[in-house]
Amino acid sequence: MTNLTRRTMVAGAAGLTALAASRAYAQGAPSAPVALNIIDVAGNLQLTQAAIERFAKDNPKIISRLNFSRAPSPELPAKLKAQQEANRVDIDLVLTGPGAMSDGIQQGLWIDVWKSHTASLPKAEDVYHEQALMMQRNFGQNEGVAVVYSPSGPLFEYIPARLKTVPKTAEEFLAYVKQNKNRFTYARPVNSGPGWTWLQGLPYILGDADPSDPMKGWDKSWAYLKELGTGIDYYPGGTTPTMKELGEGTRDVIVSTCGWDINPRALGIVPKEAEVFVLANTHWIPDTQFMCIPKGVPADKVKAVLALMSYMLKPEAQAATYDKGYFYPGPAVKGVTLDMAPQESRDVLAEYGRPKYDELIKSLPTRPPLTPERLVAAFRRWDQEIGVGHTPK
């Protein structure tokens, strides 16, 4: 679900305006065009690659070439740390979700762009909508530039023909999983948006003592996850395998999010008739993907990346992030509506989107994710106490 989707993401989007281009130069263009090495550890290029390529094409005096690569999120921080210690950083821009973002903040891997390069970026409060601004301030902090937003989950996706009675509470769901062993699974949270939201949303569902503190306030959640694990054979290393297993019939229910529900059905990985449900007391745990610059990137390349970042927050670039519902809705900035998106995006969402999402977004409360250091601690504890013994296939 890469090339075709990426090529069509920004069909019809406007090019970089002369005003935007002049602003980029005014903020400090590189002394000569630079080649940028961009690594994606979050599936973000599906939403942004075409817009990034458009910026490079329209600004040949800033960018001479783009080199894209992908890697699993858990592997990136150690790789970057080794490069920085050797003074040989060859990654100029990281597109990341919460996992590598949190590790990078903890380990001091990122340039604090919002403090050190304030003039090169728009004011966050001027461009981001309220929910994305919350994520930027509480999660992206000074290092990450939020580029896409989704209320995310946790949701549960299922095949109606295989799940006749939909659980309504956490207790009913636990009973279902224990009675129907190996018919449910979810992906390792550190490398999965659905797994990430499920892990952080469960304390609200269960009424835990302190949903913001995974080490001291999640007694109910850790006990629940251990008990749930007695009905799970293994936890896949990423979300895609869970979708394939649901589509192939290996699973009847999986953890999902708005985007992971819409996009795999649009691509035929999951049957169109799949449905979703939420448990009682569900709170949205929003997901945001960020653009980060590693420390050690040469000054000229930093200037080019900052110009690109600024462009990616413009409406014409943001409208493309509706994509095929992959990170629904997608835009992180104010005033970007579906009617501004490419026609293919509008067509896909008309067929595979769910009107119930608008209702759920309005009716369910939203809570910010854990702070980066606490999120890292939650991931580590899940790996040590929940994931251990459930070896991925």
Side-chain angles (χ1 to χ4, degrees):
M1 57 188 201
T2 52
N3 293 338
L4 177 60
T5 304
R6 289 198 300 268
R7 286 198 300 268
T8 57
M9 278 197 302
V10 293
L16 181 64
T17 64
L19 177 62
S22 63
R23 184 169 181 264
Y25 287 116
Q27 291 168 351
S31 56
V34 298
L36 291 183
N37 299 314
I38 300 173
I39 190 167
D40 175 17
V41 297
N44 182 266
L45 285 173
Q46 177 160 322
L47 306 169
T48 60
Q49 182 169 343
I52 292 170
E53 290 173 340
R54 179 177 293 276
F55 177 82
K57 179 181 178 182
D58 290 346
N59 292 273
K61 293 184 179 180
I62 296 178
I63 297 174
S64 61
R65 188 175 71 254
L66 295 168
N67 301 311
F68 296 106
S69 62
R70 296 167 179 78
S73 176
E75 296 177 4
L76 181 69
K79 179 179 181 179
L80 263 180
K81 189 73 171 176
Q83 290 186 2
Q84 289 169 344
E85 290 176 349
N87 199 27
R88 297 183 62 180
V89 175
D90 64 7
I91 297 171
D92 306 313
L93 172 62
V94 175
L95 304 173
T96 177
M101 176 77 200
S102 300
D103 265 354
I105 288 177
Q106 270 207 314
Q107 297 183 45
L109 303 182
W110 315 122
I111 292 175
D112 58 348
V113 291
W114 290 103
K115 289 179 63 177
S116 299
H117 301 281
T118 304
S120 297
L121 296 170
K123 290 184 178 180
E125 59 269 24
D126 290 346
V127 294
Y128 290 125
H129 57 66
E130 181 180 355
Q131 296 85 358
L133 183 61
M134 174 194 71
M135 293 292 287
Q136 177 60 60
R137 287 175 169 169
N138 292 314
F139 200 84
Q141 301 184 21
N142 290 315
E143 290 87 349
V145 175
V147 65
V148 291
Y149 171 88
S150 173
S152 198
L155 305 173
F156 293 88
E157 190 165 356
Y158 69 102
I159 305 300
R162 305 202 296 263
L163 179 66
K164 301 297 186 180
T165 302
V166 176
K168 294 182 174 59
T169 66
E171 292 75 17
E172 290 179 2
F173 185 68
L174 177 60
Y176 162 78
V177 172
K178 294 178 71 172
Q179 292 166 11
N180 298 270
K181 290 185 180 296
N182 305 335
R183 303 307 299 172
F184 163 76
T185 194
Y186 62 97
R188 183 187 178 204
V190 74
N191 200 38
S192 167
W196 180 76
T197 55
W198 165 233
L199 180 63
Q200 295 178 86
L202 183 60
Y204 292 101
I205 293 171
L206 296 179
D208 239 325
D210 185 356
S212 70
D213 188 347
M215 304 310 288
K216 297 180 180 179
W218 285 20
D219 289 351
K220 294 179 181 178
S221 295
W222 293 120
Y224 184 94
L225 289 171
K226 288 178 183 177
E227 189 71 11
L228 193 70
T230 63
I232 297 173
D233 54 346
Y234 89 110
Y235 301 101
T239 310
T240 298
T242 70
M243 294 291 157
K244 290 181 178 177
E245 291 186 8
L246 181 67
E248 294 166 354
T250 308
R251 309 289 172 180
D252 298 337
V253 187
I254 58 172
V255 173
S256 192
T257 60
C258 297
W260 276 103
D261 160 44
I262 296 171
N263 188 250
R265 287 189 298 118
L267 297 175
I269 298 169
V270 172
K272 185 178 181 180
E273 64 268 20
E275 287 289 345
V276 296
F277 67 88
V278 297
L279 297 175
N281 300 319
T282 289
H283 291 55
W284 290 114
I285 306 296
D287 199 358
T288 301
Q289 294 181 353
F290 297 87
M291 303 177 286
C292 302
I293 307 176
K295 291 179 179 178
V297 173
D300 264 5
K301 288 197 172 190
V302 170
K303 291 178 181 179
V305 173
L306 289 167
L308 172 60
M309 285 178 162
S310 183
Y311 170 69
M312 293 303 296
L313 298 183
K314 295 185 178 298
E316 60 264 31
Q318 286 281 304
T321 65
Y322 278 100
D323 184 55
K324 291 183 177 180
Y326 173 65
F327 209 75
Y328 184 83
V333 306
K334 301 175 184 176
V336 181
T337 56
L338 182 58
D339 61 353
M340 300 166 63
Q343 184 63 49
E344 184 179 15
S345 295
R346 299 198 297 271
D347 292 344
V348 166
L349 290 173
E351 184 171 0
Y352 295 95
R354 297 190 191 274
K356 72 167 64 175
Y357 284 151
D358 292 336
E359 178 184 338
L360 288 172
I361 289 170
K362 292 178 181 178
S363 63
L364 296 180
T366 299
R367 294 292 181 266
L370 298 173
T371 59
E373 61 275 9
R374 289 188 172 185
L375 183 59
V376 170
F379 286 155
R380 185 179 299 115
R381 185 166 179 179
W382 186 94
D383 284 345
Q384 293 172 347
E385 297 185 12
I386 309 302
V388 65
H390 292 72
T391 305
K393 294 179 181 177

